Amino acid sequence: PSPDFDEAWCAIESPNEKGESFELCDVPECDPCSCTPPCGTPNLEGCGCPSFLQAQECCGDEGNGGEEDEDDDDDRGRYQCRFGYLKEACRIGLTNRKDGIENRRDAFCDSAEAAFCEGKIHPDCGCGLYEHMCAESPDDTVCELAASSCCDFDVAGWASPQCLCDFYTSTLNVLGFGSEKIVSENCLEASEYQDTLPYVENKKLRDFYKDTQGENWYINTGWSDEWSPEIVNHCNWFGITCEDGFVTRINLRNNNLSGKFSLENLRLPKLTLLVLAENNLSGRFSYGAAQFYRQLVRIDVSGNEFYGHADMTFSAATLYANYSHNKFTSVGFKRFTAGYETLKVVDLCGNLIDQDVSKVLLNLPPNLEELYLSDNLIGGKLPNPFPSLENIQRLTIANNHINGRLPEFSRAIPRVKELDLSNQRRTYKGGLVGDVTDDFTKLGDLLVLNLAVNRLASIPSDCGSLDKLEVLNVSSNLLGHTIPPEFGKLADVLDVLDLSDNNLKGRIPSSFQKFEDTSVHLSGNAQLYLHLAPLMLCFRPKFDLVNDTRICPTERSALKVFYESAGGQEWTDNSWWASDYTSHCDWFGVTCSDTNNTIGLDLRNNGLAGTLIEEIKDLPYLEVLDLSDNDMRGTIPTGIGLLSELTHLRLAYNEFIGSMPTQLRNIPGLELIQFHVNRISGTIPTMNWMNEEDSSFIADCGNPSDFEESLECKDCTMCCNHHGDCYPQVKPAILDMVGADNYTQLSIICTAFLFCAFGTVVLAVYAFDKYQNFNLPQSTIRGPEMIRRDIKYSMSTIGDDSVYKFFLSKSWWGWAIALGTIAVQSWMLFEFVKGAEIDLSDDSSHLVYTWKCPRDDVDCDFKSDLTSQGWMVFVILMLAHLVKDIINGSKLIVLSAKERHDHRTRLRYFFGGSLLSFVTLFALFASTVYNKAIATNNTEIILNSVVILFINDIDELFYEIMMITNSSWVQVIMNDSPRPDDDEDFMQELKDEINDLREKLQLLEERFDGEDVDPDEWRKSKRSSGWRNGPSRAVSVKNGKKGKIRRLRQVHLPNGNGRSTSPLRIENGTTSISVYA
């Protein structure tokens, strides 16, 4: 009891009309109405104070008697609690007022209104409260109060006739409360507002144009025309559509309308479509305008600045209402309106609605199909049971502040297709909690389920039975179990599966490999990274961890692609290659480093059949790649050039085609490349190859080739042909020694050197001979006997049965025949030299490929059966057939340097000897290089040598042919050869010698006068007269001048052996000489 009053009093925390904060309860002192019942128990007294006191005591900060969750830390829960008590206090107060009992009902009801609107007072709070109370327990007082609260739209208390018509029609038809008379009176008055005239609409539109800053519109065609009462032309204005002269559609989307706008001012009763979206309009929407838009089917005012309360059911015909992206702070649905039954789509996304979700969902239209409430400030708990909306198909309340557990939806919204309750965790303790129950699995039509960014703990595996589900998003929750493998059943229908940012454990189910076109998001689950993802899941481009090497190693994926492209299922050994979770380091043929990087791939002779894919570049640490002896086809990918660590590349014995990728030159450390026995063509790029081992770089650059032009490979150390035979592409040491590129150049160099050597020998011998004959007279040096002997010697040396002896004749025909024979022999021998060239790209080469590069070894083997014994036989043959000609040729060359011969003779000797030696040595050279190139056994080297030696005897064969054909012609040629009886030079020399001899004989005659001469005396006389030691001579001279004949007896020289032969008769004028030798 108050000390100043004899009544109990209670404080009401709601300001009255005077601004005071306290109101008195009209109860006697010590009345039971002053007592507070226990929290949660009903008020059984006939006064409102107990319920009011319960609201005070039971809904404070300390708790609500167990009615609030301990994690509800905002005021919304307290208002919910207080609303229940204060509504009861208001109802008792209104009942007492109806019974004539004075009560401060206004204070209780005002507090109840405030609690209903969660402390945010606005004009619709009373309507919502009393309509709710009228629906619960209809009576005259409550329902009349509801009518006045919902239909009084101005301070003068004017009530909308259409609103009253709708209200009383609803209470009569739905609640069975009211009378036909009241309905008829209000509806009759409302009908008066449904008629209009075109010129009135024209005036309203012009006012609308002015109010919305029409001069700034983007398009205002017709709107700015001068107005005349006689001309009504608004049907032609931009954005206006008319029927029968009345406006039925207005579409001014994104036209820069601005300013305050009120539907009550426009008043177009025939309007069916109103689109004012994406402008800058503001103002409130009042249900008072409902009577002017009874035919409005679609209204779209999204993207403006409208604020206040959004009444969604003010038009009787509205199906679609879009109020999104404005500044509305509350929303309500009046059940008594005609539009309550027709409304199907409501969009209120992106506003400032700050209500409890249970209030927002209160009185939802029963035929609603789509409700969009995302991006607001809606809080509280979802009501359980959830409001029944059997026709709802899309319900999105994302990005709000809803908390608590999920209610059962299957009975309330059984036909829902899209349910979005995501992103409620905007505060520390906000968001939906608990488990996603099996109740969701009963939503058979569900297409989209988005529960992301909450605090949900689990999701049932039976969600895999939702065979129509396209989107399942439970990301950013507290899921801590393993991933249900049953989700794999949704692979054929699911577009998005998002389980990211949770605490999921274990392995990703292998059933997830079925998600070929599904966006699978599993990132942010730390424990999932401890295991490899199923192998095929790492090939799904929409898998968010496909590039995370912890769960999807790039090398494993690359090897899997290679496995598929190379026909892995048919391999001889494919152990572990098809395993979902096995590390690629355990796969057959794969070698890894300590850090699990692939460094070796050895699958030789393993039944591979397919192509080498570009993804091979995704093995950046690969050092050894051996795919030899398989059936790999296609081209070699350019990506192989990105394997910077590669040292061994072996692709031999396959069916690769095309050209070699130039990117191979980018690999710095290659030590072995083997591409032989494939079908690679073109040119292998220059590699600057440094490894000179025979088997280090092998390709099909030999001949014969499968192609018109063989593969070009300058760096190859070994070339193979299409038979699989190989030969080292190494220049012979002799060529390197002399700096020649091939045997042809070598033969030219050797020929030049040979003739230089011959010339050097000639000069040396000539100098020596000159020195030896320095003190001798010319008559002694050019003795006829020596000359004649040289002639006979030269003929026998060069060969009596060879056309080479024609070099010693003066016949031009003889020289032509001899030179032609030399040319023929040289040409034939040169063919053998060309055939022996080690040009592996030259198809004309006779080179025999004597190496084999086996399938099962990286080293090539020399397979020739030619032994040292064969070469020994070769040497014997050469010595037996050629040494004689070499010696004879050398003798002629030496003979050509003798001073006693004239220049022409020396030239003939030199040419004869040089060409004989040249042909002989060239035959030796050709035989050697040819046998080295093609001889593979001892028999072949003998046969080849015999053939070449036969060429060396062509000069003799030609001579025989000439003798058989026309021997006289040979005799004619040889008659031009130097002889003692017809050679003028010889005769002149002989004459000079005889004159000298005559002088000496004359001296002897004067001394001895024809007597016998003692040998000692003869020797003394010979020395004194200049005679040289030599064979004995006897000379008989008949001098015809004086007619006397003097004979010198035969003189015996000291060496004896003097002999007399038939004299050679020489006549010259009056002197005849007989010479005995």
Side-chain angles (χ1 to χ4, degrees), residues 779-809:
S779 60
T780 302
I781 294 173
R782 298 177 178 269
E785 181 68 18
M786 293 296 292
I787 293 174
R788 193 169 72 86
R789 187 187 65 180
D790 286 349
I791 293 173
K792 294 181 65 177
Y793 177 75
S794 65
M795 294 295 290
S796 62
T797 298
I798 203 167
D800 289 334
D801 56 352
S802 171
V803 295
Y804 289 165
K805 70 179 183 178
F806 293 166
F807 283 122
L808 302 181
S809 73

mmCIF file of all heavy atoms in Angstrom, residues 779-809:
data_model
loop_
_atom_site.group_PDB
_atom_site.id
_atom_site.type_symbol
_atom_site.label_atom_id
_atom_site.label_comp_id
_atom_site.label_asym_id
_atom_site.label_seq_id
_atom_site.Cartn_x
_atom_site.Cartn_y
_atom_site.Cartn_z
ATOM 1 N N SER A 779 128.579 -35.029 -121.006
ATOM 2 C CA SER A 779 128.692 -36.227 -121.823
ATOM 3 C C SER A 779 128.744 -37.472 -120.972
ATOM 4 O O SER A 779 128.265 -38.535 -121.368
ATOM 5 C CB SER A 779 129.947 -36.130 -122.704
ATOM 6 O OG SER A 779 131.120 -36.000 -121.899
ATOM 7 N N THR A 780 129.323 -37.335 -119.783
ATOM 8 C CA THR A 780 129.371 -38.477 -118.877
ATOM 9 C C THR A 780 128.026 -38.700 -118.224
ATOM 10 O O THR A 780 127.547 -39.823 -118.062
ATOM 11 C CB THR A 780 130.446 -38.250 -117.805
ATOM 12 O OG1 THR A 780 131.710 -38.046 -118.452
ATOM 13 C CG2 THR A 780 130.531 -39.441 -116.857
ATOM 14 N N ILE A 781 127.387 -37.585 -117.790
ATOM 15 C CA ILE A 781 126.089 -37.685 -117.099
ATOM 16 C C ILE A 781 125.041 -38.258 -118.009
ATOM 17 O O ILE A 781 124.245 -39.115 -117.638
ATOM 18 C CB ILE A 781 125.679 -36.301 -116.594
ATOM 19 C CG1 ILE A 781 126.647 -35.821 -115.514
ATOM 20 C CG2 ILE A 781 124.250 -36.337 -116.044
ATOM 21 C CD1 ILE A 781 126.408 -34.403 -115.080
ATOM 22 N N ARG A 782 125.029 -37.818 -119.249
ATOM 23 C CA ARG A 782 123.997 -38.236 -120.183
ATOM 24 C C ARG A 782 124.500 -39.378 -121.079
ATOM 25 O O ARG A 782 124.287 -39.385 -122.277
ATOM 26 C CB ARG A 782 123.577 -37.057 -121.062
ATOM 27 C CG ARG A 782 122.967 -35.906 -120.275
ATOM 28 C CD ARG A 782 122.638 -34.759 -121.207
ATOM 29 N NE ARG A 782 122.019 -33.653 -120.494
ATOM 30 C CZ ARG A 782 120.715 -33.505 -120.329
ATOM 31 N NH1 ARG A 782 119.907 -34.399 -120.835
ATOM 32 N NH2 ARG A 782 120.245 -32.462 -119.670
ATOM 33 N N GLY A 783 125.175 -40.320 -120.483
ATOM 34 C CA GLY A 783 125.676 -41.439 -121.248
ATOM 35 C C GLY A 783 124.570 -42.216 -121.924
ATOM 36 O O GLY A 783 123.538 -42.499 -121.290
ATOM 37 N N PRO A 784 124.750 -42.574 -123.177
ATOM 38 C CA PRO A 784 123.673 -43.266 -123.898
ATOM 39 C C PRO A 784 123.343 -44.619 -123.324
ATOM 40 O O PRO A 784 122.210 -45.079 -123.375
ATOM 41 C CB PRO A 784 124.217 -43.366 -125.324
ATOM 42 C CG PRO A 784 125.691 -43.212 -125.210
ATOM 43 C CD PRO A 784 125.952 -42.324 -124.044
ATOM 44 N N GLU A 785 124.372 -45.258 -122.764
ATOM 45 C CA GLU A 785 124.092 -46.571 -122.190
ATOM 46 C C GLU A 785 123.114 -46.473 -121.030
ATOM 47 O O GLU A 785 122.172 -47.256 -120.902
ATOM 48 C CB GLU A 785 125.418 -47.206 -121.738
ATOM 49 C CG GLU A 785 125.280 -48.598 -121.133
ATOM 50 C CD GLU A 785 124.851 -49.628 -122.151
ATOM 51 O OE1 GLU A 785 124.984 -49.369 -123.369
ATOM 52 O OE2 GLU A 785 124.334 -50.670 -121.751
ATOM 53 N N MET A 786 123.319 -45.480 -120.157
ATOM 54 C CA MET A 786 122.436 -45.289 -118.991
ATOM 55 C C MET A 786 121.031 -44.889 -119.435
ATOM 56 O O MET A 786 120.027 -45.337 -118.872
ATOM 57 C CB MET A 786 123.024 -44.210 -118.076
ATOM 58 C CG MET A 786 124.327 -44.625 -117.404
ATOM 59 S SD MET A 786 124.117 -46.017 -116.294
ATOM 60 C CE MET A 786 123.144 -45.262 -115.044
ATOM 61 N N ILE A 787 120.990 -44.080 -120.449
ATOM 62 C CA ILE A 787 119.677 -43.647 -120.925
ATOM 63 C C ILE A 787 118.919 -44.813 -121.502
ATOM 64 O O ILE A 787 117.727 -45.006 -121.258
ATOM 65 C CB ILE A 787 119.855 -42.520 -121.965
ATOM 66 C CG1 ILE A 787 120.417 -41.265 -121.281
ATOM 67 C CG2 ILE A 787 118.535 -42.221 -122.663
ATOM 68 C CD1 ILE A 787 120.754 -40.151 -122.248
ATOM 69 N N ARG A 788 119.671 -45.621 -122.317
ATOM 70 C CA ARG A 788 118.983 -46.767 -122.901
ATOM 71 C C ARG A 788 118.523 -47.737 -121.819
ATOM 72 O O ARG A 788 117.445 -48.301 -121.879
ATOM 73 C CB ARG A 788 119.931 -47.471 -123.888
ATOM 74 C CG ARG A 788 119.218 -48.484 -124.794
ATOM 75 C CD ARG A 788 120.156 -48.916 -125.898
ATOM 76 N NE ARG A 788 121.191 -49.761 -125.380
ATOM 77 C CZ ARG A 788 121.046 -51.095 -125.231
ATOM 78 N NH1 ARG A 788 119.931 -51.669 -125.547
ATOM 79 N NH2 ARG A 788 122.061 -51.815 -124.784
ATOM 80 N N ARG A 789 119.380 -47.909 -120.833
ATOM 81 C CA ARG A 789 118.998 -48.801 -119.735
ATOM 82 C C ARG A 789 117.782 -48.273 -118.980
ATOM 83 O O ARG A 789 116.880 -49.018 -118.597
ATOM 84 C CB ARG A 789 120.195 -48.939 -118.784
ATOM 85 C CG ARG A 789 119.943 -49.995 -117.693
ATOM 86 C CD ARG A 789 121.052 -49.980 -116.701
ATOM 87 N NE ARG A 789 121.075 -48.700 -115.993
ATOM 88 C CZ ARG A 789 121.984 -48.425 -115.051
ATOM 89 N NH1 ARG A 789 122.923 -49.267 -114.744
ATOM 90 N NH2 ARG A 789 121.959 -47.250 -114.453
ATOM 91 N N ASP A 790 117.721 -46.924 -118.781
ATOM 92 C CA ASP A 790 116.559 -46.336 -118.075
ATOM 93 C C ASP A 790 115.272 -46.548 -118.850
ATOM 94 O O ASP A 790 114.197 -46.768 -118.275
ATOM 95 C CB ASP A 790 116.797 -44.835 -117.849
ATOM 96 C CG ASP A 790 117.819 -44.584 -116.753
ATOM 97 O OD1 ASP A 790 118.167 -45.555 -116.055
ATOM 98 O OD2 ASP A 790 118.239 -43.413 -116.604
ATOM 99 N N ILE A 791 115.427 -46.491 -120.196
ATOM 100 C CA ILE A 791 114.224 -46.683 -121.013
ATOM 101 C C ILE A 791 113.685 -48.088 -120.832
ATOM 102 O O ILE A 791 112.501 -48.317 -120.619
ATOM 103 C CB ILE A 791 114.525 -46.384 -122.472
ATOM 104 C CG1 ILE A 791 114.826 -44.893 -122.670
ATOM 105 C CG2 ILE A 791 113.365 -46.820 -123.363
ATOM 106 C CD1 ILE A 791 115.293 -44.542 -124.066
ATOM 107 N N LYS A 792 114.598 -49.039 -120.941
ATOM 108 C CA LYS A 792 114.151 -50.417 -120.770
ATOM 109 C C LYS A 792 113.620 -50.656 -119.357
ATOM 110 O O LYS A 792 112.629 -51.350 -119.147
ATOM 111 C CB LYS A 792 115.328 -51.376 -121.060
ATOM 112 C CG LYS A 792 115.796 -51.346 -122.504
ATOM 113 C CD LYS A 792 116.927 -52.307 -122.749
ATOM 114 C CE LYS A 792 116.462 -53.732 -122.555
ATOM 115 N NZ LYS A 792 117.565 -54.706 -122.874
ATOM 116 N N TYR A 793 114.271 -50.034 -118.389
ATOM 117 C CA TYR A 793 113.851 -50.210 -116.980
ATOM 118 C C TYR A 793 112.467 -49.622 -116.747
ATOM 119 O O TYR A 793 111.605 -50.208 -116.081
ATOM 120 C CB TYR A 793 114.878 -49.562 -116.069
ATOM 121 C CG TYR A 793 114.500 -49.633 -114.606
ATOM 122 C CD1 TYR A 793 114.608 -50.839 -113.892
ATOM 123 C CD2 TYR A 793 114.029 -48.508 -113.944
ATOM 124 C CE1 TYR A 793 114.262 -50.884 -112.566
ATOM 125 C CE2 TYR A 793 113.684 -48.563 -112.611
ATOM 126 C CZ TYR A 793 113.806 -49.758 -111.916
ATOM 127 O OH TYR A 793 113.471 -49.823 -110.598
ATOM 128 N N SER A 794 112.258 -48.442 -117.325
ATOM 129 C CA SER A 794 110.959 -47.790 -117.135
ATOM 130 C C SER A 794 109.831 -48.591 -117.768
ATOM 131 O O SER A 794 108.734 -48.698 -117.224
ATOM 132 C CB SER A 794 110.991 -46.374 -117.709
ATOM 133 O OG SER A 794 111.164 -46.416 -119.120
ATOM 134 N N MET A 795 110.130 -49.179 -118.941
ATOM 135 C CA MET A 795 109.094 -49.959 -119.603
ATOM 136 C C MET A 795 108.735 -51.190 -118.784
ATOM 137 O O MET A 795 107.573 -51.554 -118.652
ATOM 138 C CB MET A 795 109.586 -50.367 -121.000
ATOM 139 C CG MET A 795 109.769 -49.202 -121.949
ATOM 140 S SD MET A 795 108.233 -48.362 -122.353
ATOM 141 C CE MET A 795 107.470 -49.618 -123.344
ATOM 142 N N SER A 796 109.749 -51.832 -118.234
ATOM 143 C CA SER A 796 109.460 -53.027 -117.436
ATOM 144 C C SER A 796 108.807 -52.669 -116.103
ATOM 145 O O SER A 796 107.992 -53.422 -115.561
ATOM 146 C CB SER A 796 110.751 -53.808 -117.194
ATOM 147 O OG SER A 796 111.679 -53.023 -116.453
ATOM 148 N N THR A 797 109.130 -51.502 -115.562
ATOM 149 C CA THR A 797 108.575 -51.094 -114.265
ATOM 150 C C THR A 797 107.093 -50.761 -114.372
ATOM 151 O O THR A 797 106.275 -51.204 -113.563
ATOM 152 C CB THR A 797 109.335 -49.879 -113.700
ATOM 153 O OG1 THR A 797 110.696 -50.253 -113.492
ATOM 154 C CG2 THR A 797 108.726 -49.411 -112.387
ATOM 155 N N ILE A 798 106.789 -49.977 -115.356
ATOM 156 C CA ILE A 798 105.386 -49.564 -115.467
ATOM 157 C C ILE A 798 104.508 -50.683 -115.992
ATOM 158 O O ILE A 798 103.283 -50.635 -115.867
ATOM 159 C CB ILE A 798 105.276 -48.319 -116.362
ATOM 160 C CG1 ILE A 798 103.979 -47.556 -116.038
ATOM 161 C CG2 ILE A 798 105.331 -48.688 -117.849
ATOM 162 C CD1 ILE A 798 103.947 -46.174 -116.647
ATOM 163 N N GLY A 799 105.135 -51.699 -116.603
ATOM 164 C CA GLY A 799 104.376 -52.866 -117.035
ATOM 165 C C GLY A 799 104.247 -52.956 -118.522
ATOM 166 O O GLY A 799 103.703 -52.045 -119.166
ATOM 167 N N ASP A 800 104.757 -54.055 -119.085
ATOM 168 C CA ASP A 800 104.666 -54.241 -120.526
ATOM 169 C C ASP A 800 103.253 -54.583 -120.960
ATOM 170 O O ASP A 800 102.909 -54.442 -122.135
ATOM 171 C CB ASP A 800 105.639 -55.353 -120.960
ATOM 172 C CG ASP A 800 107.091 -54.902 -120.859
ATOM 173 O OD1 ASP A 800 107.327 -53.675 -120.953
ATOM 174 O OD2 ASP A 800 107.941 -55.765 -120.647
ATOM 175 N N ASP A 801 102.416 -55.069 -120.007
ATOM 176 C CA ASP A 801 101.070 -55.510 -120.367
ATOM 177 C C ASP A 801 100.002 -54.560 -119.815
ATOM 178 O O ASP A 801 98.880 -54.958 -119.526
ATOM 179 C CB ASP A 801 100.822 -56.922 -119.833
ATOM 180 C CG ASP A 801 101.043 -57.025 -118.337
ATOM 181 O OD1 ASP A 801 101.541 -56.029 -117.738
ATOM 182 O OD2 ASP A 801 100.722 -58.084 -117.752
ATOM 183 N N SER A 802 100.355 -53.284 -119.624
ATOM 184 C CA SER A 802 99.419 -52.299 -119.066
ATOM 185 C C SER A 802 99.366 -51.071 -119.958
ATOM 186 O O SER A 802 100.383 -50.685 -120.559
ATOM 187 C CB SER A 802 99.854 -51.898 -117.653
ATOM 188 O OG SER A 802 99.087 -50.805 -117.198
ATOM 189 N N VAL A 803 98.198 -50.500 -120.047
ATOM 190 C CA VAL A 803 98.070 -49.270 -120.823
ATOM 191 C C VAL A 803 98.812 -48.122 -120.158
ATOM 192 O O VAL A 803 98.965 -47.059 -120.763
ATOM 193 C CB VAL A 803 96.583 -48.896 -121.013
ATOM 194 C CG1 VAL A 803 95.858 -49.926 -121.847
ATOM 195 C CG2 VAL A 803 95.893 -48.689 -119.679
ATOM 196 N N TYR A 804 99.270 -48.337 -118.924
ATOM 197 C CA TYR A 804 100.025 -47.283 -118.257
ATOM 198 C C TYR A 804 101.331 -46.976 -118.992
ATOM 199 O O TYR A 804 101.861 -45.874 -118.865
ATOM 200 C CB TYR A 804 100.343 -47.683 -116.821
ATOM 201 C CG TYR A 804 99.143 -47.695 -115.902
ATOM 202 C CD1 TYR A 804 99.211 -48.334 -114.662
ATOM 203 C CD2 TYR A 804 97.965 -47.062 -116.259
ATOM 204 C CE1 TYR A 804 98.126 -48.355 -113.813
ATOM 205 C CE2 TYR A 804 96.877 -47.078 -115.419
ATOM 206 C CZ TYR A 804 96.950 -47.723 -114.193
ATOM 207 O OH TYR A 804 95.877 -47.735 -113.356
ATOM 208 N N LYS A 805 101.869 -47.971 -119.760
ATOM 209 C CA LYS A 805 103.132 -47.717 -120.435
ATOM 210 C C LYS A 805 102.978 -46.689 -121.547
ATOM 211 O O LYS A 805 103.972 -46.168 -122.056
ATOM 212 C CB LYS A 805 103.707 -49.021 -120.979
ATOM 213 C CG LYS A 805 102.946 -49.637 -122.163
ATOM 214 C CD LYS A 805 103.637 -50.910 -122.612
ATOM 215 C CE LYS A 805 102.956 -51.507 -123.842
ATOM 216 N NZ LYS A 805 103.667 -52.737 -124.295
ATOM 217 N N PHE A 806 101.682 -46.402 -121.865
ATOM 218 C CA PHE A 806 101.468 -45.355 -122.867
ATOM 219 C C PHE A 806 101.906 -43.988 -122.339
ATOM 220 O O PHE A 806 102.089 -43.057 -123.115
ATOM 221 C CB PHE A 806 99.993 -45.304 -123.258
ATOM 222 C CG PHE A 806 99.506 -46.512 -124.004
ATOM 223 C CD1 PHE A 806 98.145 -46.750 -124.171
ATOM 224 C CD2 PHE A 806 100.407 -47.414 -124.562
ATOM 225 C CE1 PHE A 806 97.697 -47.860 -124.857
ATOM 226 C CE2 PHE A 806 99.950 -48.534 -125.240
ATOM 227 C CZ PHE A 806 98.587 -48.759 -125.378
ATOM 228 N N PHE A 807 102.031 -43.874 -120.991
ATOM 229 C CA PHE A 807 102.543 -42.621 -120.427
ATOM 230 C C PHE A 807 103.984 -42.358 -120.855
ATOM 231 O O PHE A 807 104.452 -41.212 -120.814
ATOM 232 C CB PHE A 807 102.458 -42.652 -118.899
ATOM 233 C CG PHE A 807 101.073 -42.422 -118.350
ATOM 234 C CD1 PHE A 807 100.470 -43.367 -117.541
ATOM 235 C CD2 PHE A 807 100.381 -41.258 -118.637
ATOM 236 C CE1 PHE A 807 99.196 -43.160 -117.033
ATOM 237 C CE2 PHE A 807 99.105 -41.055 -118.133
ATOM 238 C CZ PHE A 807 98.503 -42.013 -117.332
ATOM 239 N N LEU A 808 104.707 -43.444 -121.255
ATOM 240 C CA LEU A 808 106.104 -43.285 -121.640
ATOM 241 C C LEU A 808 106.262 -42.968 -123.121
ATOM 242 O O LEU A 808 107.378 -42.731 -123.602
ATOM 243 C CB LEU A 808 106.874 -44.567 -121.308
ATOM 244 C CG LEU A 808 106.819 -44.991 -119.826
ATOM 245 C CD1 LEU A 808 107.642 -46.260 -119.630
ATOM 246 C CD2 LEU A 808 107.311 -43.874 -118.927
ATOM 247 N N SER A 809 105.161 -43.011 -123.834
ATOM 248 C CA SER A 809 105.205 -42.694 -125.262
ATOM 249 C C SER A 809 104.977 -41.220 -125.491
ATOM 250 O O SER A 809 104.553 -40.487 -124.590
ATOM 251 C CB SER A 809 104.148 -43.514 -125.999
ATOM 252 O OG SER A 809 102.864 -43.019 -125.736
#
